[in-house]
Amino acid sequence: MSTPTRTDVLVVGAGPAGSAAATWAAREGLDTLLVDAAVFPRDKTCGDGLTPRAIGELQRLGLEDWLRAHTVSQGLRAHGFGQTLLLPWPGGTLPDWGSAVARTELDDHLRTTAIKAGASALDGARAVDVRMSGDRVAAVTLDRAGERFEVECERLVVADGVRSPLGKKLGREWHRDTVYAVAGRSYVDSAMADDPWISSHLELRGEQGEILSGYGWIFPLGSSDGRGSVNLGAGTLATAQRPADVAIKPLMQHYADTIRDDFGLSGELRQPTSALLPMGGAVSNVAGANWAMIGDAAALVNPLNGEGIDYGLESGRLVVETMRSHDDLATVWPALLHDHYGEAFSIARRLAGIVTVPGVLKALGPAGMRSDWLMTLALRWMGNLVTDDDRDRAARVWRWAGRRSIARDARPPFS
């Protein structure tokens, strides 16, 4: 394709958030350009898990049939403190199933979905600067193979990930006084690649046997011959006061060694990668007059489970809906993020911060794991599987706790 010089909507970053935004913008009939620094297909550090909240957004995009050709999970198998619990997805107003798709495939398919909707796509083009006209972004400077050029835009969507280099140019700031995560993932052959349950080990221990403030996971990715792969990873929570003092890649190897027989693991860990994750809306300056940040760039990551795909997909849809009805996004977009996610993120990052206190997980973990009911409730809350349409008692309690938590925040989410 010839390099465009202007567009109605420029989306920087072609992960789930950016591709969803490009799809919805193109379906609105807007001239849309989706750019990414990588050449697709490309990998992304991620657990690859898709919660019911993500499934709901993928259904909206028309991808349910494609998704059901992959693994379908019934819920979570929780391990820890001498217990193993099978916790079905709670349902409610959300789908009652989940899945897992390697990000190399998922992101490429979502990007293709945006192209089929009418968006133009340009990969291998890194956004390096912006040109302002007053308080609005007039153009973005892209660098492709050493050649720099500008693309003018009416609207800019910033979806360039956790580090968000373009976001920094626009004034994005990450505040580490609330909880964040250090996580890693790998792939490994497993006899349980077709397991209908995702697994989480809530009693994650280091090489010296110490309990860490995090968890390990096994997400089956399916197989065609009875032997396939799983996504194996581990993550720990940290704050500025209690930083994570752990090497993630050796921790993943230790975790794999301890569960090798239980999950029929064979061979070496492949493609081990790690990432630092801002969480719970712990960023400020997420919008301007004609631009907005979505997905990981806006720290839309669940502080209790590290999930971000669902929020990326949601925010990609919501930002286009907001652009349709508002000309100035500077105050509207942060307010929408605050209203939509603020309470849940506030209570979640407060609870996650408590887990980083030495001894807390060791004291509370065994009691929690003795109750199927309590852990099912925790799964729903930790996974933020509560929507504005849910009116049951568990949803009301979660929202009540969120309102009281956010009232106590010195720095509420997205501020």
Side-chain angles (χ1 to χ4, degrees):
M1 60 173 289
S2 59
T3 303
T5 58
R6 73 158 312 278
T7 186
D8 294 335
V9 179
L10 175 60
V11 182
V12 175
S19 289
T23 300
W24 292 115
R27 289 179 181 178
E28 288 280 327
L30 298 169
D31 184 30
T32 304
L33 176 62
L34 175 63
V35 303
D36 197 279
V39 176
F40 281 69
R42 59 97 174 96
D43 191 18
K44 172 73 187 301
T45 301
C46 184
D48 298 338
L50 298 170
T51 67
R53 195 173 185 122
I55 298 298
E57 289 299 317
L58 291 167
Q59 288 174 331
R60 288 174 183 262
L61 288 168
L63 300 179
E64 180 171 354
D65 290 344
W66 173 81
L67 195 56
R68 284 191 177 275
H70 298 76
T71 57
V72 171
S73 64
Q74 300 175 21
L76 173 70
R77 181 191 290 110
H79 307 262
F81 306 99
Q83 303 286 331
T84 298
L85 303 176
L86 293 178
L87 309 172
W89 294 118
T93 57
L94 293 170
D96 61 357
W97 58 286
S99 185
V101 181
R103 287 291 296 272
T104 303
E105 180 183 357
L106 176 68
D107 289 15
D108 192 52
H109 192 77
L110 286 170
R111 179 175 175 272
T112 300
T113 299
I115 295 170
K116 289 181 177 178
S120 299
L122 186 65
D123 58 10
R126 183 180 303 276
V128 295
D129 208 350
V130 294
R131 175 165 57 85
M132 304 296 295
S133 176
D135 62 351
R136 303 176 75 86
V137 172
V140 173
T141 302
L142 302 174
D143 185 306
R144 194 180 196 198
E147 178 188 353
R148 293 198 172 192
F149 57 95
E150 277 192 348
V151 176
E152 296 180 350
C153 59
E154 295 297 321
R155 300 284 186 145
L156 170 64
V157 177
V158 181
D160 55 349
V162 293
R163 297 184 181 276
S164 190
L166 185 61
K168 291 178 182 177
K169 293 283 185 182
L170 292 163
R172 172 193 187 260
E173 185 178 358
W174 172 25
H175 306 286
R176 301 196 188 197
D177 49 343
T178 56
V179 69
Y180 62 92
V182 183
R185 74 101 235 259
S186 62
Y187 296 103
V188 62
D189 292 340
S190 171
M192 298 183 68
D194 293 312
D195 188 5
W197 300 85
I198 66 172
S199 290
S200 179
H201 290 80
L202 305 180
E203 186 183 357
L204 181 65
R205 292 183 178 269
E207 295 185 54
Q208 306 305 316
E210 72 279 16
I211 296 179
L212 303 175
S213 58
Y215 67 97
W217 67 79
I218 296 285
F219 293 167
L221 294 172
S223 66
S224 57
D225 56 4
R227 189 80 189 183
S229 298
V230 297
N231 181 306
L232 179 149
T236 61
L237 297 170
T239 64
Q241 293 75 26
R242 291 180 289 275
D245 183 21
V246 62
I248 285 294
K249 292 182 181 179
L251 176 62
M252 283 196 297
Q253 184 62 61
H254 175 68
Y255 171 55
D257 292 341
T258 62
I259 63 171
R260 185 170 293 273
D261 292 339
D262 292 339
F263 285 84
L265 306 183
S266 63
E268 300 297 321
L269 301 185
R270 304 188 304 273
Q271 300 172 249
T273 60
S274 61
L276 195 65
L277 294 177
M279 310 172 90
V283 295
S284 56
N285 300 319
V286 295
N290 68 331
W291 59 270
M293 296 180 191
I294 62 174
D296 289 355
L300 294 177
V301 178
N302 189 324
L304 288 172
N305 69 359
E307 166 66 15
I309 297 175
D310 47 7
Y311 304 113
L313 294 168
E314 273 186 3
S315 60
R317 172 175 55 85
L318 291 172
V319 76
V320 174
E321 292 177 357
T322 305
M323 286 178 174
R324 183 197 311 148
S325 54
H326 294 85
D327 180 64
D328 192 334
L329 303 176
T331 57
V332 172
W333 184 243
L336 184 146
L337 292 179
H338 183 276
D339 291 345
H340 203 68
Y341 301 114
E343 292 175 0
F345 279 177
S346 174
I347 185 63
R349 68 189 193 184
R350 180 162 274 114
L351 293 174
I354 292 173
V355 172
T356 68
V357 177
V360 168
L361 192 58
K362 183 178 181 180
L364 299 181
M369 287 294 293
R370 284 195 291 268
S371 170
D372 284 38
W373 173 82
L374 185 60
M375 288 303 295
T376 297
L377 190 61
L379 171 63
R380 188 174 178 196
W381 286 351
M382 289 173 64
N384 199 11
L385 302 178
V386 177
T387 73
D388 293 339
D389 296 326
D390 290 326
R391 295 291 183 266
D392 58 281
R393 181 177 298 177
R396 294 198 303 272
V397 168
W398 182 243
R399 286 193 286 266
W400 174 87
R403 288 194 297 271
R404 276 145 186 81
S405 175
I406 205 168
R408 297 179 57 190
D409 283 340
R411 185 190 299 277
F414 315 108
S415 65

